[in-house]
Amino acid sequence: MVRMNDCECNQASLVQLSPFIHQVGGHSSMFQYNKNTVCKLLAPAEFEFYQAVPDLLKSFIPEFRGSVTVQCYKDESGFIKLFARPQTNPIENNTSSIEQDQLSTNDQQTTDSTSRKSVQLRCSKDGQVDYSNSLSIDTVNYEKGKTAMVLINPWSLQLCKKQAEKLHRQLIGDENVTITQKYILLENVTAKFQNPCILDLKMGRRQYADVDSDKKRQSKIQKCELSTSSKLGVRLCGMQVYQTESDQYIFTDKYRGRMLTIEEFRLSLEQYFHNGRTQRLDVLPKIIERLESLYIIVKSLLKYRFYSGSLLIVYDGSPSSNLIDVRMIDFANTILGTSNDDDLSNNHIGPDKGYLYGLERLIGFFRNILDDDVVNSNDHEI
């Protein structure tokens, strides 16, 4: 990050970032660049992937919109503000998207209520970072591994707080410190949803990358063996489900996801479609159809390995909408494939069978949920 002065932060070319309140998983904080674009810390391998995405996959991943340098500023009241300095030469194909989105920069997340837009981080005189409004109660009452009813999922709030605390520690006592950090710009997949119900799933039986250290490799192997990843090729990494009567979300974190048995995982998938009043199974056929299309594409990609990658499933919690989306995310450990199996520079053979297995099991669970609903409906008619 780069420490800024008062004059610099007033530059028209800078974009003030805000917490991205619909992040349900991951280990590093994402920020909102504008209504339709989010920022994510740049990982070299992921940056490389986004610049070489196979055409077949483009409709199944967030649109890549370039990169920015993020700068930090703390005002006289102690509010911590993050600013993005756009790249001087944006990706040509995405320039129009960024320019169009800039028009809505000051109207971020317009579909959320006013209270949800007012998340701000503030540093007290003793150096403690916290939220400047009542939303902090969501994180105070949140326990890892426990399901919670919240206005904003606490995972996104906690990650933003940790990032701000880290920045503040780096800036204390040195007015001239310069710490440059790059972020990539990605399409905000949740932007088109009024009340996004989000399911973040870690895909595949293997999570470690070829370049991981032995320690990291063993840690990831253990997480797989102790969770549904080893048996199903998929595990829950985060979930928020809009509840119509309370106007809040039921939130489940990755720690709870690691503890789930196969039966509990199935029940969690059922819960994902329940809004507190009824099951939203009207969106399920379109989700299954999109997953089946993704399966065909992944099966055709030779030597690609999406290790530690996730699958994001979203539908609109507003009863009047049946909008859905399915995207692959998190490519920091992805191994780029080739157009044939003869390339000796990549010793992986065929498509990513672990990812495909996870898709198969997920589609199977979703189909069973639909079939059970049909059986229950027939029973009621009798």
Side-chain angles (χ1 to χ4, degrees):
M1 296 292 174
V2 180
R3 181 70 175 266
M4 303 175 65
N5 57 41
D6 293 319
C7 295
E8 289 177 318
C9 75
N10 290 323
Q11 292 181 20
S13 62
L14 299 180
V15 177
Q16 184 174 347
L17 306 180
S18 64
F20 177 52
I21 63 174
H22 292 304
Q23 181 179 359
V24 301
H27 59 270
S28 61
S29 180
M30 297 177 68
F31 296 96
Q32 189 154 335
Y33 183 81
N34 57 42
K35 181 175 180 287
N36 298 312
T37 308
V38 294
C39 297
K40 181 181 181 182
L41 192 63
L42 188 152
E46 185 166 45
F47 185 68
E48 179 184 357
F49 170 81
Y50 274 113
Q51 294 182 96
V53 177
D55 289 339
L56 288 172
L57 263 188
K58 287 184 177 179
S59 64
F60 281 95
I61 66 169
E63 182 186 48
F64 175 62
R65 298 180 174 180
S67 62
V68 293
T69 299
V70 174
Q71 305 168 283
C72 179
Y73 171 73
K74 187 174 76 172
D75 65 17
E76 294 180 352
S77 301
F79 288 105
I80 296 174
K81 300 178 181 179
L82 300 179
F83 292 87
R85 188 182 297 276
Q87 58 187 16
T88 54
N89 295 306
I91 302 295
E92 183 177 350
N93 292 337
N94 295 324
T95 303
S96 59
S97 297
I98 293 293
E99 289 177 347
Q100 183 177 0
D101 289 350
Q102 289 286 21
L103 298 175
S104 57
T105 297
N106 295 322
D107 187 29
Q108 297 176 352
Q109 297 195 3
T110 53
T111 56
D112 285 296
S113 65
T114 302
S115 61
R116 289 179 184 145
K117 289 194 288 184
S118 60
V119 182
Q120 296 186 79
L121 291 166
R122 190 173 188 177
C123 185
S124 60
K125 292 182 179 180
D126 61 2
Q128 295 296 312
V129 176
D130 214 329
Y131 302 94
S132 62
N133 54 31
S134 60
L135 291 174
S136 61
I137 193 171
D138 283 343
T139 56
V140 171
N141 295 334
Y142 163 62
E143 293 182 58
K144 289 182 179 180
K146 301 288 186 180
T147 299
M149 179 78 78
V150 293
L151 182 65
I152 298 176
N153 83 70
W155 192 257
S156 60
L157 298 180
Q158 284 202 348
L159 290 180
C160 285
K161 180 179 177 180
K162 287 180 179 178
Q163 179 70 354
E165 288 173 337
K166 180 180 179 180
L167 291 174
H168 187 259
R169 287 195 299 269
Q170 293 173 331
L171 297 174
I172 288 176
D174 191 348
E175 295 296 325
N176 299 313
V177 66
T178 299
I179 308 166
T180 302
Q181 203 166 49
K182 286 280 191 178
Y183 278 66
I184 57 174
L185 296 176
L186 298 172
E187 172 192 2
N188 176 8
V189 177
T190 70
K192 59 188 175 184
F193 299 92
Q194 184 174 349
N195 299 110
C197 297
I198 304 169
L199 184 63
D200 186 337
L201 300 167
K202 186 72 71 177
M203 301 299 294
R205 287 171 159 175
R206 169 180 159 177
Q207 304 299 325
Y208 65 86
D210 290 352
V211 296
D212 280 345
S213 65
D214 288 341
K215 182 178 181 181
K216 182 176 287 188
R217 180 175 299 202
Q218 289 304 316
S219 174
K220 291 182 178 181
I221 289 175
Q222 185 178 38
K223 288 175 184 176
C224 285
E225 289 179 346
L226 297 177
S227 69
T228 57
S229 291
S230 61
K231 296 180 177 62
L232 301 178
V234 57
R235 75 170 182 263
L236 192 150
C237 269
M239 181 174 74
Q240 69 174 38
V241 188
Y242 181 68
Q243 304 296 285
T244 55
E245 293 187 354
S246 64
D247 191 29
Q248 291 185 307
Y249 290 93
I250 289 180
F251 172 71
T252 305
D253 65 16
K254 67 178 183 181
Y255 299 106
R256 174 61 183 161
R258 291 175 189 170
M259 295 186 290
L260 298 178
T261 63
I262 293 177
E263 176 61 17
E264 289 169 338
F265 177 78
R266 184 189 67 80
L267 292 174
S268 293
L269 294 181
E270 290 184 0
Q271 183 188 33
Y272 172 61
F273 294 102
H274 207 290
N275 63 13
R277 181 179 297 173
T278 185
Q279 275 196 302
R280 289 294 311 279
L281 299 185
D282 56 300
V283 300
L284 194 43
K286 291 171 64 177
I287 291 175
I288 293 174
E289 180 181 350
R290 191 153 168 82
L291 288 172
E292 289 175 335
S293 297
L294 178 60
Y295 181 92
I296 294 172
I297 292 172
V298 173
K299 190 175 182 179
S300 71
L301 297 174
L302 303 180
K303 295 196 172 186
Y304 276 85
R305 292 297 181 270
F306 302 100
Y307 296 139
S308 203
S310 293
L311 190 66
L312 203 66
I313 300 176
V314 191
Y315 73 88
D316 201 326
S318 303
S320 59
S321 172
N322 62 357
L323 191 65
I324 68 102
D325 207 345
V326 175
R327 304 290 185 99
M328 297 174 71
I329 58 172
D330 298 336
F331 303 101
N333 293 305
T334 293
I335 296 175
L336 300 181
T338 60
S339 59
N340 61 73
D341 259 334
D342 299 323
D343 183 3
L344 298 179
S345 64
N346 182 333
N347 60 8
H348 295 283
I349 299 174
D352 190 333
K353 295 181 180 178
Y355 202 103
L356 291 172
Y357 181 73
L359 283 174
E360 286 178 0
R361 298 305 303 267
L362 184 62
I363 292 170
F365 277 119
F366 284 158
R367 287 197 174 281
N368 287 338
I369 291 174
L370 273 182
D371 292 342
D372 289 346
D373 181 63
V374 172
V375 172
N376 290 334
S377 297
N378 291 337
D379 289 343
H380 288 149
E381 291 177 2
I382 295 173

